[in-house]
Amino acid sequence: MVVDGENGPGTLGNRLNWLRAGVLGANDGIVSTAGIVIGVAGATTDRVTILVSGLAGLVAGALSMAGGEYTSVHTQRDTEASLVDAERRELAEDPGAAEEELARNYAAKGLSESTARAVARELSQGDPLRAHAELEFGLDPEELTNPWQAALSSFVSFTCGALLPLLTIGFLPPDVRVIGCALAVVAALAITGYTSARLGGTRTLPAMLRIMGVGVATMAVTYTVGTAFGVATG
């Protein structure tokens, strides 16, 4: 039973993925909350109405993100636990075959046959389950993916992102609150786009332009809808 563990939990790639998820969570918080508060600002100048709408969007979005992340990562954890349990059964049923498999895996990674057998023998005398899980799946049997940690990370990153447009539009004077909030959001999106591109090893400018374009389009549409609604009910 061999699975490439290069990008499994505990690797640098996995940690970068978690960091990218945090950046994207903050981006979602920025864009969705900005869309709400600017849309409501298009319909009314009442500060309390705008802030309550934005706060409701923040809470709903953060809980939704956290719940979705918890469900997704819990499924991943169940899969990881299933792989570890299967490896544990293999070791219990035929430890000799498991050691041979471990030696073959190390040989496939470039070790000589004698060295691979020596490494497999020594690891099997210590903690064979950890040795197999780390080599074959990139897993630490004692540190499987934590869905609660993922949910909390998503909740916090979304909330932090959402606070920017909420506080900006809440404290600016009525005559500049929409444009001021929009400029702050575009600047923040430029930063998140740059950060996500650097973490992913891609070109920064296209990533920044894409994420800024989505944010601007979202705010433009919601403001137009809010303005139309405000005129219709005025």
Side-chain angles (χ1 to χ4, degrees):
M1 184 183 299
V2 181
V3 177
D4 187 359
E6 181 180 353
N7 292 316
T11 65
L12 177 60
N14 184 69
R15 290 193 294 272
L16 290 177
N17 285 336
W18 278 107
L19 189 52
R20 279 197 295 271
V23 172
L24 293 176
N27 171 71
D28 287 343
I30 294 169
V31 173
S32 62
T33 306
I36 291 172
V37 296
I38 286 183
V40 175
T44 178
T45 58
D46 183 67
R47 188 188 305 271
V48 174
T49 301
I50 295 171
L51 289 178
V52 170
S53 300
L55 183 60
L58 183 157
V59 173
L63 290 175
S64 176
M65 289 283 291
E69 194 71 13
Y70 176 84
T71 301
S72 174
V73 175
H74 207 298
T75 300
Q76 179 182 341
R77 181 186 177 88
D78 290 343
T79 301
E80 294 172 358
S82 177
L83 291 171
V84 172
D85 287 342
E87 199 62 48
R88 184 180 288 111
R89 287 194 299 271
E90 287 186 12
L91 287 167
E93 293 170 0
D94 194 343
E99 182 178 321
E100 284 292 326
E101 181 185 36
L102 194 62
R104 289 196 300 271
N105 289 340
Y106 277 113
K109 288 182 174 294
L111 295 181
S112 66
E113 183 176 347
S114 59
T115 301
R117 288 184 177 278
V119 170
R121 186 179 309 111
E122 185 170 345
L123 290 175
S124 296
Q125 291 171 353
D127 189 343
L129 179 60
R130 182 185 296 274
H132 280 267
E134 288 184 347
L135 178 63
E136 297 179 24
F137 311 123
L139 294 174
D140 182 342
E142 303 300 324
E143 296 184 11
L144 300 182
T145 305
N146 188 332
W148 287 107
Q149 183 183 55
L152 179 61
S153 174
S154 181
F155 183 91
V156 170
S157 64
F158 184 96
T159 300
C160 290
L163 284 174
L164 173 69
L166 185 61
L167 295 177
T168 302
I169 206 163
F171 286 105
L172 288 175
D175 55 336
V176 296
R177 68 168 47 134
V178 171
I179 187 63
C181 179
L183 291 175
V185 165
V186 170
L189 291 178
I191 294 172
T192 58
Y194 176 85
T195 303
S196 63
R198 289 300 301 269
L199 291 173
T202 59
R203 296 172 57 194
T204 56
L205 183 58
M208 292 168 64
L209 292 177
R210 280 195 302 269
I211 201 168
M212 291 162 64
V214 169
V216 169
T218 299
M219 291 184 289
V221 170
T222 56
Y223 182 74
T224 301
V225 172
T227 301
F229 181 81
V231 171
T233 58

